[in-house]
Amino acid sequence: MILKRLLLLLILSPFIASPLSADEDFISHYEYGQMLYTYPRGVSCVECHGEAGEGKVIAEFRDIHGKEQIIGPDIRGKRLDEMILAMNSYHDIMPRYYLTDEEIKAIYDFLKEKSKRMNVRRK
Ligand code: HEC
């Protein structure tokens, strides 16, 4: 029946009409780093270090010393080995993550590339 064939063609068309090239199957190294930076296994780095690792104010409060701020530092200037060391240690505010060296490298590369794309100036 013609209708049945038409239906089959419709269902199969995405596979026939647009065969994916080999590298379209995979996300790029940049996207992988972005994904890890935004959704690591734990709290998003973006929350405390900003979109491109430029740093940001996490919280502001008042105490006996007056106005206080908790800051997520600018991490764009960090070397890869510093970043790996930081990710594998315990901190006061930053949670402990369990990322592999390859995952940290992907985040590191993403931050470098992102800063370049945004053309943000280093402090
Ligand atoms: C809850 C807020 C928070 C989150 C989420 C967070 N950080 Fe941090 N990070 C900090 C703070 C604050 C520091 C400074 C050390 C401290 O006081 O904990 C820091 C320090 C660092 C350092 C070391 C900077 C230095 O001066 O040596 C690196 C690198 C870093 N963070 C990367 C990351 C990455 C990558 C992620 C995500 C996987 C992340 N952080 C998630 C708050 C955060």
Side-chain angles (χ1 to χ4, degrees), residues 5-18:
R5 260 193 217 170
L6 214 72
L7 202 73
L8 194 74
L9 199 75
L10 246 161
I11 293 164
L12 293 174
S13 63
F15 304 101
I16 302 161
S18 63

Side-chain angles (χ1 to χ4, degrees), residues 36-37 40 43-45 47-49 58 71-73 75 78 82-83 86-87 91-95 97 99 107:
L36 285 166
Y37 184 70
V43 187
S44 173
C45 320
E47 299 290 332
C48 300
H49 296 288
I58 305 167
I71 289 168
I75 53 170
K78 292 285 147 206
E82 291 174 321
M83 197 129 161
M87 297 324 296
H91 301 270
D92 290 338
I93 295 160
M94 179 158 79
Y97 290 91
L99 300 167
I107 291 175

Side-chain angles (χ1 to χ4, degrees), residues 2 5-6 14 17-19 21-22 32-33 54-55 58 61 65-66 72 75 77 83-84 96-97 107 122:
I2 185 84
R5 260 193 217 170
L6 214 72
S18 63
S21 74
Y32 179 58
E54 70 278 15
I58 305 167
F61 57 92
H65 309 293
I75 53 170
M83 197 129 161
I84 290 172
R96 175 78 160 91
Y97 290 91
I107 291 175
R122 295 249 165 88

Side-chain angles (χ1 to χ4, degrees), residues 21-68:
S21 74
D23 50 28
E24 269 179 306
D25 284 337
F26 299 96
I27 58 169
S28 69
H29 186 65
Y30 177 81
E31 286 165 335
Y32 179 58
Q34 180 171 40
M35 189 197 79
L36 285 166
Y37 184 70
T38 316
Y39 309 106
R41 289 183 293 281
V43 187
S44 173
C45 320
V46 178
E47 299 290 332
C48 300
H49 296 288
E51 289 292 330
E54 70 278 15
K56 65 185 260 192
V57 174
I58 305 167
E60 277 180 313
F61 57 92
R62 248 172 211 294
D63 64 10
I64 49 163
H65 309 293
K67 210 169 158 193
E68 301 272 358

